[in-house]
């Protein structure tokens, strides 16, 4: 019987999305299932940013069988324990959103409920005392988790910062070793079947044709296949996340080699600082309604650790997503599918989740609609949940020093987020919606960090007598301190294991 399976896959685009997709499909499908071709244009190039990740990338790396030291060395990367937010809740305030746990849940009750019960007592006031990641970050320390059972050091959660260009090259090598064919050239035409509307082939400027049965659009913001060829509209979320520009510049190191990303709020947006081994990546994300490009660049250049290593580069974007991520025989992954600013480093993860969902809903040549609809529903839900978490950062603030912050503080927000805020304010409860990316610890860290101000605490925390609660918190704090004392400095750890 003739097979109906997909035998040729064409990936359009060789940025992070294209090469992540190529490496994953080649690894999972193996060399004999389908021919995989990736088309990229050196003339167009890649977006060239996207250097901070979240711990879920470790799942992707393991799936690819990556040797982590080699990976960090070759991408000139560093380790990341979370994000420091400066001036977000109010000017002069800072907090840390750590990866992993804060404290230890006890008797099925969240740690933060116990902490909220005691928060008025100065001895317990600093929530960062209860997170190994937050405390290690503050002291510039890092190590990977140990295997010692029961030790807090076994629960270290981390991600990476890396050079985006080197990351794409690294993945390209893996993908090509697993049989992916790379074609260089600029696509000028996309041909569709007159009856089904499916994409049949793409044509390059020099007349070469690349045909396939399944197309993955990783062509970046332009959305060459999903948008321009298939006409799938874009859902605009600018009213919730008004920033629409970024200016990026790398600079020399100026001292601190921190194992975390820093995000500093500015008058019309925010600035990122991402330390790599050979440089620091910096960028200013802003809203063009409130600040000019020149002013935004000036703010960025005035706030660098060291000498700039290139001219500032400007990027434009619209926050939102494709109404359908998958249309006919084309799946969009990466910037072609949508974009949310890198405030919580979620874009590379959205690529990862797109790939995972494509694999678990993998089509045959019939492109049966039920799985496509399911894919689209899941991707939209995922995006909305991430969006709400980002909006939280802008909305829960006391800042009134600029028109931008006045807008963000008073803007209408999605209903589900409004509910989460009300629940936290009234009961101190932070919770995860279904299988959303950010768990209750993350929601708590940001809500508390931005001083949302819970009026109460979860009453079930009273299951534990108050003196016992104090003792337990003292023990956890001491265990966190001892763990962090044991950890090496981030720069020493890199020097020993994975120096570029
Ligand atoms: C300012 C900013 C900061 C960011 N920071 C982070 C971060 O810290 N963490 C994070 O997770 N994400 C971040 N992102 C997102 C991240 O950069 C992207 O998700 C990631 O780089 C994927 O991009 P991409 O591969 O979809 O697109 P691109 O990198 O733009 O690649 C598009 C590819 O398509 C090719 N192409 C396009 N048109 C054609 C054509 N006609 N013919 C042939 N080839 C074509 C290009 O040559 C290129 O190879 C950031 C994004 C921005 C804008």
């Amino acid at each position: 019987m003739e097979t109906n399976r997909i035998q040729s896959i064409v990936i359009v685009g060789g940025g992070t999305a294209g090469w992540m997709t190529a490496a994953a499909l080649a690894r999972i499908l193996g060399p004999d299932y389908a021919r995989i071709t990736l088309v990229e244009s050196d003339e167009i190039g890649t977006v060239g940013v996207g250097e901070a990740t979240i711990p879920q990338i470790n799942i992707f790396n393991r799936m690819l069988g990556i040797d982590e030291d080699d990976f960090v060395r070759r991408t000139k990367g560093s380790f990341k324990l979370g994000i420091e937010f400066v001036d977000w809740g109010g000017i002069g305030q800072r907090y840390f959103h750590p990866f992993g746990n804060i404290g230890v849940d006890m008797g099925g009750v969240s740690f933060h409920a116990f902490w909220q019960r005691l928060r008025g007592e100065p001895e317990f006031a600093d929530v960062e005392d209860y997170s190994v990641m937050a405390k290690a970050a503050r002291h510039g320390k890092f190590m990977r988790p140990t295997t010692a059972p029961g030790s807090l050091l076994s629960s270290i959660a981390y991600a990476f910062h890396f050079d985006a260009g080197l990351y794409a090259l690294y993945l390209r090598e893996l993908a090509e070793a697993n049989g992916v064919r790379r074609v260089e050239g600029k696509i000028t035409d996309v041909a569709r079947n007159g009856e089904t509307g499916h994409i049949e082939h793409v044509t390059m400027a020099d007349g070469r044709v690349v045909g396939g049965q399944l197309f993955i659009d990783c062509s970046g913001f332009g959305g060459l296949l999903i948008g321009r060829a298939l006409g799938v509209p874009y859902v605009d979320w600018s009213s919730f996340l008004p920033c629409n520009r970024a200016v990026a510049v790398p600079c020399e190191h100026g001292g601190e080699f921190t194992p975390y990303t820093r995000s500093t709020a500015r008058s019309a947006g925010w600035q990122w600082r991402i330390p790599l081994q050979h440089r620091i990546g910096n960028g200013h994300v802003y809203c063009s309604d409130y600040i000019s490009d020149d002013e935004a660049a000036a703010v960025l250049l005035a706030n660098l650790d060291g000498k700039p290593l290139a001219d500032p580069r400007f990027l434009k974007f619209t926050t939102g997503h494709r109404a359908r991520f998958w249309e006919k025989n084309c799946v969009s992954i990466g910037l072609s599918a949508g974009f949310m600013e890198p405030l919580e480093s979620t874009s590379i993860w959205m690529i990862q989740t797109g790939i995972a969902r494509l694999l678990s809903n993998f089509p045959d040549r019939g492109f049966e609609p039920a799985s496509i609809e399911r894919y689209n529903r899941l991707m939209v839900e995922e995006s909305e949940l991430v969006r709400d978490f980002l909006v939280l950062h802008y909305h829960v603030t006391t800042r009134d020093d600029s028109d931008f912050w006045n807008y963000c503080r008073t803007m209408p927000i999605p209903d589900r987020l409004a509910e989460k805020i009300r629940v936290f304010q009234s009961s101190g409860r932070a919770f995860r919606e279904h299988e959303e990316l950010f768990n209750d610890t993350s929601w708590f860290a940001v809500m508390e960090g931005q001083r949302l101000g819970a009026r109460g605490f979860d009453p079930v925390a009273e299951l534990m007598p108050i003196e016992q609660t104090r003792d337990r918190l003292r023990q956890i704090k001491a265990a966190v301190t001892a763990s962090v004392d044991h950890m090496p400095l981030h720069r020493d750890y890199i020097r020993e294991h994975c120096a570029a």
Side-chain angles (χ1 to χ4, degrees):
M1 200 173 78
E2 207 196 312
T3 175
N4 203 29
R5 82 159 197 268
I6 299 281
Q7 289 172 311
S8 60
I9 302 170
V10 178
I11 299 168
V12 170
T16 300
W19 285 114
M20 280 179 78
T21 307
L25 293 188
R27 174 85 176 185
I28 299 289
L29 300 179
D32 302 323
Y33 187 90
R35 194 174 64 249
I36 304 176
T37 308
L38 183 145
V39 186
E40 66 176 320
S41 159
D42 291 343
E43 180 192 327
I44 295 175
T46 67
V47 72
V49 280
E51 310 202 314
T53 57
I54 55 176
Q56 283 76 0
I57 196 168
N58 287 299
I59 303 169
F60 189 75
N61 286 354
R62 274 197 295 277
M63 184 270 293
L64 290 181
I66 282 177
D67 169 346
E68 195 172 287
D69 282 345
D70 180 55
F71 163 70
V72 174
R73 194 177 299 123
R74 302 251 318 267
T75 59
K76 301 193 176 172
S78 64
F79 294 96
K80 172 177 171 188
L81 293 168
I83 306 177
E84 181 186 38
F85 288 93
V86 180
D87 293 343
W88 277 85
I91 292 179
Q93 293 176 13
R94 65 159 293 283
Y95 69 95
F96 197 77
H97 172 197
F99 296 142
N101 302 326
I102 299 177
V104 180
D105 294 352
M106 294 177 272
V109 180
S110 301
F111 173 81
H112 63 255
F114 298 107
W115 178 80
Q116 281 166 327
R117 191 179 177 196
L118 298 180
R119 61 179 304 182
E121 303 181 19
E123 178 185 359
F124 304 104
D126 189 351
V127 74
E128 292 176 14
D129 286 341
Y130 303 92
S131 159
V132 173
M133 279 54 71
K135 195 153 184 158
R138 201 192 296 159
H139 290 88
K141 292 190 159 190
F142 178 78
M143 66 187 265
R144 279 175 278 211
T146 64
T147 50
S151 159
L152 282 182
L153 292 173
S154 68
S155 64
I156 292 173
Y158 66 97
F160 309 95
H161 302 122
F162 48 61
D163 182 310
L166 297 177
Y167 183 53
L169 274 180
Y170 188 85
L171 293 172
R172 173 179 162 188
E173 214 171 273
L174 288 179
E176 288 187 318
N178 282 326
V180 172
R181 184 172 70 105
R182 172 182 182 265
V183 174
E184 199 286 316
K186 185 170 169 182
I187 295 168
T188 50
D189 191 49
V190 180
R192 294 174 62 188
N193 182 292
E195 221 169 279
T196 62
H198 283 207
I199 296 172
E200 289 188 326
H201 63 255
V202 293
T203 308
M204 329 278 260
D206 60 8
R208 281 175 300 158
V209 167
V210 180
Q213 292 157 347
L214 170 65
F215 283 80
I216 321 259
D217 186 350
C218 299
S219 64
F221 284 131
L224 186 63
L225 306 185
I226 195 83
R228 279 190 232 157
L230 293 173
V232 176
Y234 196 79
V235 177
D236 184 334
W237 279 342
S238 306
S239 68
F240 297 128
L241 291 167
C243 288
N244 56 1
R245 305 261 166 111
V247 51
V249 75
C251 75
E252 286 177 350
H253 270 285
E256 279 184 298
F257 186 34
T258 48
Y260 57 88
T261 306
R262 181 176 296 138
S263 163
T264 306
R266 302 280 178 220
S267 66
W270 61 280
Q271 180 171 340
W272 79 74
R273 174 187 182 278
I274 298 178
L276 305 178
Q277 291 191 39
H278 57 314
R279 61 170 168 80
I280 295 180
N282 308 278
H284 183 184
V285 174
Y286 58 98
C287 177
S288 60
D289 293 350
Y290 299 95
I291 190 171
S292 71
D293 291 346
D294 286 349
E295 285 168 317
V299 169
L300 176 67
L301 292 170
N303 289 285
L304 301 178
D305 283 38
K307 225 171 73 191
L309 295 170
D311 290 333
R313 211 158 59 82
F314 291 89
L315 296 137
K316 288 186 187 171
F317 55 83
T318 306
T319 298
H321 65 93
R322 293 285 160 197
R324 293 177 301 286
F325 286 67
W326 182 339
E327 175 81 339
K328 300 187 186 293
N329 65 336
C330 172
V331 183
S332 57
I333 293 182
L335 298 174
S336 67
F339 180 65
M340 281 179 270
E341 56 184 82
L343 188 54
E344 287 280 355
S345 317
T346 44
S347 290
I348 292 175
W349 180 78
M350 286 298 292
I351 295 172
Q352 189 182 332
T353 198
I355 296 168
R357 292 205 163 119
L358 169 61
L359 282 163
S360 56
N361 292 282
F362 205 76
D364 64 15
R365 296 210 297 269
F367 287 96
E368 162 257 328
S371 293
I372 298 178
E373 278 163 27
R374 179 177 157 73
Y375 181 92
N376 284 330
R377 178 177 62 75
L378 292 172
M379 292 303 292
V380 170
E381 272 174 23
E382 194 78 70
S383 308
E384 286 176 351
L385 290 164
V386 169
R387 175 202 65 195
D388 289 358
F389 190 58
L390 302 189
V391 174
L392 173 76
H393 297 62
Y394 282 101
H395 186 62
V396 177
T397 181
T398 55
R399 284 191 68 151
D400 58 2
D401 53 293
S402 68
D403 290 345
F404 173 79
W405 287 106
N406 286 337
Y407 173 78
C408 295
R409 207 184 60 253
T410 56
M411 68 185 166
I413 57 170
D415 291 344
R416 192 162 33 196
L417 174 60
E419 182 194 70
K420 280 190 158 163
I421 290 176
R422 282 196 305 275
V423 170
F424 185 82
Q425 281 175 319
S426 60
S427 68
R429 287 192 191 99
F431 58 90
R432 177 186 218 160
E433 195 78 39
H434 310 303
E435 290 300 299
E436 77 171 299
L437 172 61
F438 292 103
N439 63 16
D440 55 339
T441 303
S442 287
W443 280 91
F444 165 73
V446 176
M447 286 171 153
E448 182 59 41
Q450 305 234 166
R451 316 224 178 150
L452 181 52
R455 289 190 292 276
F457 61 88
D458 192 335
V460 291
E462 292 194 25
L463 279 171
M464 192 184 286
I466 191 137
E467 203 39 59
Q468 190 184 342
T469 308
R470 290 193 183 100
D471 284 346
R472 293 304 308 270
L473 261 69
R474 284 187 193 111
Q475 285 162 10
I476 296 170
K477 189 167 158 176
V480 167
T481 303
S483 301
V484 173
D485 285 349
H486 182 77
M487 292 169 73
L489 287 172
H490 178 226
R491 63 164 179 269
D492 293 343
Y493 190 85
I494 288 194
R495 194 181 302 131
E496 188 176 334
H497 296 273
C498 40

